[in-house]
Amino acid sequence: MADSPRIGVLTSGGDAPGMNAAVRAITRSALHRDAEVYAIHEGWQGAVDGGDHIRRLGWDDVSGILNKGGTVIGTARSDAFRSRDGQRRAVANLVARGIDRLIVIGGDGSLTGTRALRLAWADLLADCVASGEVTPQQAAAHPTLRVVGLVGSIDNDMVGTDMTIGTDSALHRITEAIDAISSTAESHQRTFIVEVMGRHCGYLALMSAIAGGADYTFLPESPPRDGWEDRMVEVLARGVEAGRRDSILVVAEGARDRGGEPITVERVHQALLERTGEDARITILGHVQRGGKPSAYDRWMATVTGVEAVRQVLDGDADSEPLLVGMHRDQVVTRPLLEAVADTRAVAQHISQGDFDHAVAARGRGFEQMIDIYRVLSEARPSVLEGVRPRRIAVMHAGALAPGMNQIARVAVRAGIDRGHQMLAVRGGVPGLVSGHIDPVSWADAEGMAHTGGADLGTRRYVPSETDLYAMARQLEDHDVDALLVAGGYHAYRTVAILEAERRRYPAFDIPVALLPASIDNNLPSWPMAVGADTALNTVVDSIDMVRMSASASRRAFVVETMGRGCGFLPLMGGIAGGAERVYLPEEGITLAGLADDVAAMVDAFAGGRNFYLAVIGEDASEYYTTDVLRRLFEAEGHGQFSVRQAVVGHVQQGGVPTPFDRINATRLAYSAVLELDRQLEAGATAYVAASSESPTLFAPLRDVVDGMDWDQQRPVEQWWLGLREIFAQLSSRPRG
């Protein structure tokens, strides 16, 4: 291994949940590439200090860290590294250990400093040779420094990646707090002001306000206009008049007014007190937003980006510009680091110069749209006046329950009312439409649905029969339904496809219809993450964490069964985020020969000192080799070396409070669906459309979407997550030799 490439990995700046998942992925992926990995402890200060701060990592050194918050290799801000002398010492310490490749996990400051070191590497190396700290031979062997960056920041403030490591976990902490505050605020009819992190970026404030159903928010990129105090009071008063019992205001720590003066929680409190006499309560969440275990998303996202970082730092051109590895639409992407940092810092410059339109635009179209959506949701009056005959849009769920369905209904109702339409609720899914359980719904009827699980409108697994179609058509006619929004899984897609096919026989079906994916199985085409899938995945990962703790005092193997039917999303992603050694997917099936290899690997692992072994299986992975059969087989072949237990996660995957990701996903989909139906109604069109991430409007013709569905297996033909099987295989099994 003397000639093996050596990679240094460090975490720098503020800690973020998911950093440990990245360190684990980098270490194990590099070992599979016959590279050595060195942890640089305490960030750049550790590189400057050298010695025991730079230590080699082995396979077992990163075991058991996937579910831990913070960073096990430490982080610190280093004044010494900002000086040339400190950088020279860092170079000397790295070269002394043969390290000329770096993967840095941190914010824009850490990544900028890393790039500066890379540019000055040759000069600093010459200084080290002159001082005798590095030999000429060592300098010749390491003439350049290769750098790849991963963004670890809860603020989601880096341009060039949809999400930064730690953001999703921070949103979990914030929305949990807002949900808890909402219950006590509603009980006492009080107003609460919540401060969240975000000095130059309002992502956490905006998204937590949407996910938590807050009533007003203040963002650094979009300061309120003069007179905001009166405007705020007016908006809150209209909400109370419409039936709201509580008011929640979310303030980003870096919020300012148009004159550049800070808008603090104390300032907001004083404005409310002077204008309403109400003594609002203040909650500053502080560093609790950084703490806690990482969410499922932060675990698997940090994992896949960590693996890509290793590939780039080993295979990339030594003279190329350092790269940033990030995510876009659940796919790994790379971008020049300098460009990403420059674009990120430009946002702060726009804000300081009062150019707020460019500041918002620089965050991306998605951020802009979510600001528009938030304003619609928080207002208690339509922005479009009702016409002579307002159009009637019905909202319906179909198929199995998925967390986030209530948020879809809430957003659809309020967005429709904002556009001047009359909104209707179909109660009880497809059977409710057959029997005519259709009621008008108001803005206030949607209050409180943002953070509730279940589906208040009701839903059922039901595909209409031939005899149902006539009744459904009559109900649509009798209730003057002009357009229909349907959210659900496999049964919803089947139902809407039938309605489109029967439009010639039943003219009542010849109306605009928008179809949204809501399924914990994530088994629907053209949309990467169905509403409900993230919540179910977090439930699976939480269950795995608890199983792991239950086995801490004994030598034990667990077989954890997830839902998913014919789709392997939950078992595969649960296995990656939960740190499983083996996953069994319905797409691959299970063979006796494969099980023999798995048993041998399990026995060998326990013989080598392992105390815990985890296998995750999808519920329909095999008709014959069921979870119980696997448990018995593993137990029998263990011959008493270890015990084996099974855990069937079951229907708790469908329940619970939807995650922030699912609430935000539901919000974007439902709002876009109402805009699409509104556009069609205005144009006199009657198209059937379904959610599609490839379309600028987020919708494509239904027939184009369902062409990507494997109806027999109840899963998409193309499944993006199957591309992660190789990553799972790398990280779950030691390299041979």
Side-chain angles (χ1 to χ4, degrees), residues 490 493-495 497 706-707 709-715:
Y490 167 82
Y493 277 61
R494 289 288 290 179
T495 296
V706 297
D707 279 347
M709 187 71 180
D710 183 340
W711 294 111
D712 292 334
Q713 299 297 330
Q714 298 188 25
R715 64 188 182 222

Side-chain angles (χ1 to χ4, degrees), residues 21 31 59 70 171 189 249 262 264 287 290 316 318 320 353 419 428-429 505 528 556 567 571 614 632 655 679:
L31 292 175
W59 185 273
L171 277 176
Q189 298 189 51
L249 297 88
T264 63
H287 282 75
R290 289 192 187 277
S320 64
Q353 295 165 1
R419 305 299 298 176
R505 284 207 298 158
R556 183 170 290 174
C567 179
L614 173 66
R632 292 172 181 271
R679 183 192 64 79

Side-chain angles (χ1 to χ4, degrees), residues 45-56:
Q45 189 60 48
V48 173
D49 294 340
D52 288 341
H53 287 92
I54 304 176
R55 298 197 293 270
R56 186 175 175 181

Side-chain angles (χ1 to χ4, degrees), residues 140-160:
H142 307 288
T144 59
L145 177 68
R146 300 186 191 183
V147 172
V148 173
L150 301 178
V151 189
S153 167
I154 68 167
D155 293 341
N156 202 32
D157 53 357
M158 180 67 77
V159 177

Side-chain angles (χ1 to χ4, degrees), residues 647-664:
V648 179
V649 184
H651 282 80
V652 296
Q653 293 160 89
Q654 289 183 311
V657 176
T659 61
F661 186 101
D662 275 329
R663 301 186 203 187
I664 295 165

Side-chain angles (χ1 to χ4, degrees), residues 235-265:
V235 170
L236 297 180
R238 282 204 302 269
V240 172
E241 291 172 4
R244 181 182 288 151
R245 286 182 56 85
D246 67 301
S247 297
I248 305 292
L249 297 88
V250 179
V251 182
E253 62 178 333
R256 295 177 180 271
D257 61 23
R258 300 252 160 176
E261 290 299 313
I263 297 180
T264 63
V265 289

Side-chain angles (χ1 to χ4, degrees), residues 80-103:
F81 183 70
R82 295 187 177 95
S83 69
R84 184 174 178 84
D85 180 65
Q87 292 177 3
R88 176 187 56 76
R89 289 160 56 195
V91 170
N93 288 324
L94 293 175
V95 171
R97 288 163 178 77
I99 299 170
D100 57 9
R101 293 167 171 84
L102 280 180
I103 299 176

